[in-house]
Amino acid sequence: MYRTALRNVIAHKGRLLMTMLAVLLGTAFVAGTMVFSDSVGQAFKDSVSSDYAKVSVEVRDDGSGLYGSAAGNTSKEKPLTEQLRQRIAALPGTAAAAGTVTGFAGLSDPGGNLIGSQGDTHGSNWQPGDDGQDARYPMLQGAGPTDAQGIAVDRKTAADNGFKVGDTVRLAVNGPVMQVKVTGIFGTDDPQVKAGGSLVLFDNATAQRTYLKPGQYNSIEVQAKPGVSQAQLRDQVLPLVPHSGNVVVKTGVQLTADETAQVTSSMSGLRTALLAFAAIALFVGIFLITNTFTMLIAQRTRELALMRALGASRRQITNSVLLEALFVGVVASVGGLAAGIGIGALLKSLMSGSGVPQGGLVLSGTTVVATLLTGVVVTVLAALLPSLRASRVAPVTAMSSNDQPATQKSLVVRNSIGAAFFGLGLASVLYGASLGGSSGRLPVGLGAGLILIGVFVLTPLLSRPVIALVGPLLRRLFGTPGKLAQQNAVRNPRRTAATASALTIGLTLISALTVIGASVSQAVDKQVTQNMKADYDVSVMLGQPVSPALVPKIAATPGVAASSVIDSQYVGFGGRSHSVSGVDAASFDQLIAPVMLSGATSSLRQGAMLVDREVAASHGWTVGSAVPVTYPDSKAGMVRIGGIYQVSDMLGPVLMSESVLAPHTTAPYYSDVLVKGTNGASATLQQALKDSTGRNPLVTVKTQQEIRDQFNSLISTMLNIMYGLLGMAVVIAILGVINTLAMSVFERKREIGMLRAIGLDRYAVKRMVRLESVVIAAFGAVMGVAIGCFLAWSAVQLLKSSLVGLTTAPPYGQLGGYVLGAALIGLLAAMWPARRASKLDILGSIKTS
C-alpha cells in the first residue's frame, strides 16, 4: 500500500503541483512572518544592548516623563539636580556621571513646515567632558553648542536638508520660532532619527532652561570604574537619591532587560497579526487540498475498489491516501520554509528605512518546526475527509461506475447542519449589533464565524439556484458552450462549492474592510463639509494652544475675509461640567455651519448659547431656557439657550460667544483659529498664513481637504496593508480554480471527446471551460461581497457610538469591481485548462475508461 501511495504521487505529480504550491505559499507566509519578527526583534535587542553598553546605572525621574515639559516650566522642583549629579560623580565606584535632558524640538524647512513628524523630532543636551567631547554624540564636523544661539544637528537631518556648519536654521520648541546657528554635525544611532525624525543638541544650560529648570535633569547616566560591578555601584548611588516614588534607579542589565521585554511584547503583537493572515491563507488552502484529493480519489474509484476486492482493508485505503498527503505536505513545507526565509529578508529590507536597526536574519528552531508542522498537519487534515470517504465505498458499487454521487441523506444532513450554523450566526450578529459598542463585539465576532461556516456548508445548496439565474444569459450570449458551462458548474455542487468558497473567504474579508473604511471616511467627510465653512484651520502641534499674539496677525493676513478663535474651556451647568467652544459671534455664520434642529445661530450675537441635541436632552433644555452657569473663574451667571444642533465631533457639545465667555476665563485656550479667504482657499493664502505665524514648524494651516486626508490616510494605510496581506489568500484561491478545472477536464475526457465528435470545435471547448470558470469565480465573489457587506454593517453598528454620523456606506462601484475582477481572475485561471481541453485527442478521449 505504501508503494502504491508513492506511485500515485509520482503518477499525479502534475495534478498535485497546485496543491503543493498552495501549501508552499501558506507555509512561506508563516515562515516569513516568524523570520521577520525574530530578525527585527533581535536587531532591536542588539541595539538596546548597544545603547546601554556604557551605562552601568541610570537614575531616572519617571515623574517628568520621557520628555521634559514646556519652556519656562514652573512646576515643582525635579529631584535630579546638578548637585546630585556631582555627588554621584564623586562616589568611589563612579568613573563618570552625565545628566540627560530631552524634549521636543522641531526644525523648520524653508516654507515653515516641520522636518519629520512631531513624534520623532526631539532635542537633548550637549554635555562635554574634560576632553571637550560628549561620548554619546561624536562630533563629525564643527563643535558642540556653547550658548543659546547655537545647536548641533544630526548627520542624517543635515544631509537630507542641506544644513552645513555655520548655517542659520529655524527651530521651535513650544513657542515662537528661534533662529539659531548650526555649530556642529554629529553622528547618532538614535532609532527615531533613522525613522526620519531629527535630533538637535543644545548646550546643557539652554536645554535645562528650555525643558526643565536650570540645574535639573530627566536622568543621570553613571559609568562604573573598572572592577566595580553594576550592583555595587547601584548600592552606592541609592543612599544619595531622594526618597521619591518617581525616582527609579536601575542597572544597565536591568534597563536592557526591560527594553528587551518591551521589544518582545511589541513584536509579539505584530507577529500575531501577521500570523492571523497566514492562517487565513492556510484556511483557504484547505479547500484546495480537500478538493484536489476528492477529485483524485473520484478518478481512482475503480482502482481503490479493486484493491478492496483484493483484500485491502479500509484502514489501508485511508492510510495510503493520507500518506500521499503527508508526502505533499512535507515537500511543500520544506519549499515554504525556504521561500519564507526570502520573504522575511524582503520584509526586513522594506523596513530598513523605518527605524529598524541593521542585523542579520534569524532562523530559529521554533520557526523550522512550526513551519513544517503547520504545513504537514494542514495538508493531512484536509485530506482526511476524502480518505475516509474513499475507504467507505463498497468494492462492487465502486467498480460499477466512476461517478459516485452523494446520497440524498448526506445532502439533507449537510444542509440541516449548515442552516443551523447560519441561523445561530445571524441571530448572534443581530444581537451584538443591537447592543453596540464594546459589549457587542463578542456576539458579532462569534456570529460572523458561525455565518461563514454555515454558508460554506450550504454553498452546494445555494450554487444551483444562484448559478441557474445566469443560465439564460449564457445561452443567449454564448450559445451551446454557455449552456454546457452552466450545466457543468452545477453538475457537482460540492466541487463547485469548494472551489468558490476559497474566493468567498478572501472577498468576504476584503469587502467588509472596504465597506467599513468607506463608511468611516464618509462620516468624517460629512462632518467636515457640513459643519465647516472655513477654508483653513490653524492649530499648533503637541496639544499646545495657538498663542494669543498670533490671532490678530492671522486676522490681518492679506486675503482673509473672516476669522474666529475656538476658545476651549470647561463650564459648569447645574453641577455638571461640559466642554464649551468660545467663538466670534460676528463671523460665526461665515465659518461654522452646525445642523440646526431648532433655534438659530444668530442668537449667539445676543449672548445666547447653542447646545447639541444630546446635551439638551440630558438637561431637559429647550430653546429659550435660561440656564445657570459657573464660569472657569468661578463666577456664576445665567445664559439663554438660543438653538439646538445635531451632535458633531468637530463642534463639541456647547457653543458660546467669545465676548460672553472670555471675561470669565482665567486664561484663553485657543485650540484652533478658523479662517475664511476672500477668494476661497488658495496656495498663496495658505503660505501667507504660515508667514503671518512666523513660519513656525509647530503651527499647521490645513484646508478642509487636508483635514479629511489626515483622518482618511490612517484608514487608507491600514486598508492597503490588509489588502496586501489578504492577497495571499486570493492567490491560493486562484490556484484552486486552476487546479479544479485542470482535474475536471481530465475527469471529463470522454465527455469532451464525445462533444468534439458530434461537432463542438476546439474554440467552443475552450469557451465552455472558460465560462465555467468565470461562473464559479463570480459565484464565489457574489457570496463573499454579500457576506462582507452584512458583516461590515454589523461592525458599523458597533462603531456608531465612537463616531458621530457613522452609517453603512457601501461603495457599490468598488464592490462591483471586485465581482468583475473575480470573473476576470476566473477567465485567466481557465486559460491553461481550456487550452488543454481543446487539444485532447477525440478518439483517445472517447476510449478513456
Side-chain angles (χ1 to χ4, degrees):
M1 292 301 295
Y2 294 146
R3 286 197 299 271
T4 301
L6 182 59
R7 282 199 301 269
N8 282 327
V9 171
I10 297 173
H12 301 126
K13 55 182 178 294
R15 302 179 213 170
L16 291 172
L17 178 61
M18 295 296 178
T19 303
M20 287 186 177
L21 190 54
V23 179
L24 185 149
L25 289 174
T27 52
F29 206 156
V30 173
T33 295
M34 299 182 75
V35 169
F36 168 71
S37 58
D38 287 344
S39 300
V40 172
Q42 188 60 50
F44 272 113
K45 291 174 185 176
D46 292 343
S47 177
V48 168
S49 299
S50 175
D51 288 343
Y52 292 113
K54 297 181 179 180
V55 178
S56 303
V57 173
E58 182 188 68
V59 184
R60 176 179 295 176
D61 177 15
D62 282 350
S64 62
L66 178 61
Y67 293 118
S69 47
N73 180 18
T74 58
S75 61
K76 65 181 182 180
E77 293 292 330
K78 304 299 180 184
L80 305 186
T81 62
E82 173 62 20
Q83 290 77 14
L84 176 61
R85 187 196 70 80
Q86 292 177 2
R87 293 173 63 192
I88 293 175
L91 288 171
T94 300
T100 300
V101 182
T102 53
F104 174 84
L107 286 166
S108 169
D109 67 11
N113 300 307
L114 180 68
I115 293 173
S117 60
Q118 67 182 62
D120 52 25
T121 55
H122 56 295
S124 189
N125 61 321
W126 167 262
Q127 194 174 38
D130 295 337
D131 60 354
Q133 296 296 318
D134 189 331
R136 300 171 299 174
Y137 308 109
M139 202 60 60
L140 306 177
Q141 300 176 32
T146 57
D147 54 37
Q149 281 69 51
I151 61 168
V153 181
D154 71 86
R155 172 174 48 189
K156 184 176 183 300
T157 301
D160 291 345
N161 295 275
F163 296 153
K164 298 180 178 61
V165 174
D167 286 352
T168 298
V169 297
R170 302 167 60 79
L171 176 74
V173 174
N174 75 320
V177 175
M178 300 180 289
Q179 296 204 25
V180 290
K181 184 178 179 181
V182 177
T183 64
I185 297 174
F186 61 92
T188 178
D189 292 327
D190 192 311
Q192 291 179 312
V193 173
K194 290 184 179 181
S198 64
L199 173 62
V200 300
L201 300 179
F202 302 92
D203 71 281
N204 193 56
T206 301
Q208 289 176 330
R209 287 196 307 270
T210 301
Y211 297 120
L212 298 169
K213 281 187 175 182
Q216 294 183 353
Y217 298 103
N218 294 109
S219 65
I220 299 174
E221 297 176 353
V222 190
Q223 287 183 330
K225 289 181 178 178
V228 178
S229 69
Q230 293 185 357
Q232 290 172 332
L233 181 58
R234 180 194 57 197
D235 292 340
Q236 293 180 21
V237 170
L238 279 172
L240 303 181
V241 174
H243 297 289
S244 167
N246 293 331
V247 177
V248 178
V249 181
K250 292 185 177 181
T251 65
V253 172
Q254 290 175 311
L255 292 168
T256 301
D258 291 346
E259 292 285 345
T260 300
Q262 187 175 354
V263 168
T264 302
S265 176
S266 60
M267 292 307 300
S268 174
L270 176 62
R271 173 187 284 203
T272 301
L274 292 175
L275 286 176
F277 286 97
I280 293 170
L282 285 169
F283 185 61
V284 172
I286 289 175
F287 289 92
L288 192 160
I289 298 165
T290 302
N291 219 16
T292 300
F293 277 96
T294 298
M295 295 179 71
L296 284 174
I297 290 168
Q299 293 169 15
R300 290 161 43 205
T301 303
R302 286 188 177 181
E303 173 192 328
L304 294 175
L306 180 60
M307 295 173 65
R308 287 287 312 281
L310 294 174
S313 66
R314 287 186 174 183
R315 176 173 293 181
Q316 286 178 310
I317 296 293
T318 300
N319 289 343
S320 69
V321 176
L322 292 180
L323 187 62
E324 292 180 44
L326 179 64
F327 179 83
V328 170
V330 170
V331 173
S333 299
V334 171
L337 178 62
I341 296 172
I343 291 174
L346 177 62
L347 290 174
K348 193 169 184 298
S349 67
L350 292 176
M351 295 287 288
S352 60
S354 303
V356 177
Q358 298 296 319
L361 289 179
V362 176
L363 179 62
S364 66
T366 302
T367 299
V368 174
V369 172
T371 302
L372 297 179
L373 193 62
T374 299
V376 170
V377 169
V378 166
T379 308
V380 172
L381 287 179
L384 181 60
L385 186 60
S387 68
L388 292 174
R389 190 179 298 154
S391 69
R392 290 173 182 171
V393 177
V396 175
T397 304
M399 284 189 286
S400 65
S401 172
N402 273 347
D403 186 16
Q404 299 296 323
T407 64
Q408 185 66 27
K409 179 181 177 182
S410 69
L411 291 176
V412 170
V413 171
R414 174 175 181 145
N415 294 337
S416 299
I417 294 173
F421 273 106
F422 182 82
L424 289 173
L426 182 63
S428 181
V429 169
L430 293 175
Y431 173 69
S434 66
L435 291 176
S438 58
S439 57
R441 291 176 187 170
L442 181 59
V444 167
L446 177 62
L450 292 174
I451 285 176
L452 286 174
I453 294 173
V455 169
F456 296 154
V457 176
L458 288 172
T459 301
L461 177 67
L462 298 173
S463 63
R464 286 183 178 272
V466 173
I467 294 178
L469 292 175
V470 300
L473 179 63
L474 291 175
R475 288 193 295 271
R476 187 176 299 112
L477 294 178
F478 304 105
T480 300
K483 179 180 180 180
L484 291 172
Q486 185 261 335
Q487 291 175 345
N488 288 333
V490 299
R491 177 189 299 177
N492 192 329
R494 289 179 183 269
R495 182 190 306 158
T496 297
T499 306
S501 294
L503 274 172
T504 298
I505 296 170
L507 284 176
T508 293
L509 298 172
I510 290 174
S511 299
L513 291 172
T514 299
V515 174
I516 293 171
S519 301
V520 173
S521 295
Q522 185 192 69
V524 173
D525 289 349
K526 187 176 180 181
Q527 285 204 36
V528 173
T529 54
Q530 278 192 348
N531 300 142
M532 184 174 172
K533 288 184 177 179
D535 295 316
Y536 295 101
D537 175 86
V538 182
S539 60
V540 180
M541 298 179 186
L542 304 177
Q544 297 292 323
V546 178
S547 170
L550 295 180
V551 174
K553 295 180 180 178
I554 293 171
T557 302
V560 172
S563 66
S564 172
V565 299
I566 304 295
D567 189 1
S568 299
Q569 303 286 341
Y570 278 91
V571 176
F573 299 94
R576 279 189 280 174
S577 180
H578 291 295
S579 173
V580 174
S581 298
V583 296
D584 178 44
S587 60
F588 181 84
D589 289 331
Q590 300 179 65
L591 301 165
I592 303 173
V595 179
M596 299 302 296
L597 303 177
S598 60
T601 58
S602 59
S603 62
L604 282 172
R605 292 192 289 273
Q606 282 78 50
M609 68 180 182
L610 309 179
V611 298
D612 71 28
R613 177 177 52 82
E614 290 184 355
V615 170
S618 67
H619 287 276
W621 295 339
T622 58
V623 174
S625 298
V627 178
V629 300
T630 303
Y631 291 108
D633 63 357
S634 299
K635 293 184 179 179
M638 297 289 292
V639 179
R640 182 175 59 86
I641 303 297
I644 299 174
Y645 57 90
Q646 186 60 266
V647 176
S648 169
D649 288 330
M650 277 196 64
L651 302 180
V654 182
L655 297 170
M656 186 179 291
S657 172
E658 182 69 355
S659 62
V660 175
L661 181 63
H664 299 292
T665 60
T666 54
Y669 191 97
Y670 299 149
S671 60
D672 302 86
V673 178
L674 301 180
V675 177
K676 183 75 173 178
T678 304
N679 299 312
S682 68
T684 302
L685 178 56
Q686 189 172 22
Q687 187 58 52
L689 289 169
K690 285 291 295 182
D691 293 340
S692 68
T693 58
R695 282 183 288 158
N696 191 321
L698 296 184
V699 177
T700 62
V701 181
K702 296 177 183 175
T703 64
Q704 288 190 21
Q705 187 59 48
E706 287 171 339
I707 294 173
R708 288 195 290 264
D709 291 344
Q710 181 181 358
F711 288 97
N712 292 337
S713 64
L714 299 176
I715 300 170
S716 299
T717 300
M718 179 188 70
L719 289 179
N720 289 336
I721 292 173
M722 290 188 174
Y723 289 157
L725 295 173
L726 289 172
M728 186 71 74
V730 175
V731 169
I732 293 176
I734 295 170
L735 294 176
V737 175
I738 297 173
N739 208 27
T740 299
L741 288 174
M743 299 181 73
S744 177
V745 166
F746 180 85
E747 189 178 75
R748 301 192 328 244
K749 285 177 67 176
R750 174 181 289 183
E751 175 188 320
I752 293 172
M754 291 295 294
L755 290 172
R756 289 291 313 282
I758 62 175
L760 200 68
D761 60 20
R762 289 186 174 183
Y763 180 75
V765 170
K766 284 183 180 180
R767 175 175 284 186
M768 176 187 70
V769 176
R770 290 170 183 169
L771 288 175
E772 180 184 351
S773 177
V774 168
V775 167
I776 293 174
F779 168 66
V782 169
M783 295 283 290
V785 169
I787 300 170
C789 287
F790 175 70
L791 297 181
W793 169 83
S794 63
V796 167
Q797 304 309 303
L798 300 181
L799 296 172
K800 271 188 173 180
S801 59
S802 303
L803 182 59
V804 175
L806 179 62
T807 57
T808 307
Y812 295 105
Q814 194 169 350
L815 296 175
Y818 290 159
V819 176
L820 292 177
L824 179 61
I825 287 172
L827 180 63
L828 296 175
M831 289 296 184
W832 176 62
R835 187 169 180 270
R836 182 182 179 189
S838 69
K839 290 189 173 184
L840 289 176
D841 178 71
I842 296 176
L843 294 179
S845 299
I846 294 174
K847 288 169 60 179
T848 301
S849 59

